[in-house]
Amino acid sequence: MALVLVADDNRGFAELVRALLEDAGHAVLTAYSGLAAIAVVEQNAVDLAVLDVLIPGISGDAVAERLRQLRPGLPLALMTGNGEIFASASGLPVLRKPFTKEELLEVVERLLGRAP
């Protein structure tokens, strides 16, 4: 079981992702802003973070950069509902909303080193 952070300002969506990951056997913490996401990682032994790109306060890309400084090697993925094609300059995996449960779990398991 991994401890996964899900950060998205849309609480309903964050809770949906939480439920999908919990159903797959993971423990999940949620945050609804970029600064809250950073605080969660500072205070918990998070194994993976899934971050919304357009999260309030500080962008998902900026949160990812800060988390890389705090916890080098922490697996990270971004989510975006932006209609435009988003390509992360950071090279992180990007889940495009709406994504399927299978797409989410494939990215999570791959980042955790558990994908076949």
Side-chain angles (χ1 to χ4, degrees):
M1 174 177 71
L3 180 57
V4 180
L5 166 63
V6 174
D8 196 307
D9 58 310
N10 181 326
R11 290 176 185 253
F13 188 79
E15 292 305 317
L16 173 64
V17 174
R18 173 203 287 267
L20 293 172
L21 291 172
E22 287 178 344
D23 285 348
H26 300 291
V28 181
L29 299 172
T30 53
Y32 308 112
S33 73
L35 294 176
I38 293 167
V40 167
V41 172
E42 288 175 334
Q43 299 167 12
N44 297 277
V46 172
D47 298 305
L48 168 72
V50 182
L51 312 166
D52 186 31
V53 172
L54 297 177
I55 200 161
I58 179 172
S59 73
D61 276 350
V63 172
E65 184 57 36
R66 179 69 179 120
L67 295 183
R68 282 180 164 168
Q69 294 169 0
L70 284 172
R71 296 261 317 276
L74 176 67
L76 303 166
L78 299 173
M79 305 180 285
T80 184
N82 190 339
E84 298 177 20
I85 299 298
F86 175 83
S88 173
S90 63
L92 298 175
V94 178
L95 289 160
R96 287 179 175 72
K97 299 176 190 175
F99 46 80
T100 66
K101 175 182 180 178
E102 292 76 18
E103 290 170 325
L104 171 65
L105 295 179
E106 187 279 324
V107 167
V108 166
E109 297 303 323
R110 181 169 39 88
L111 289 173
L112 291 171
R114 300 179 185 161

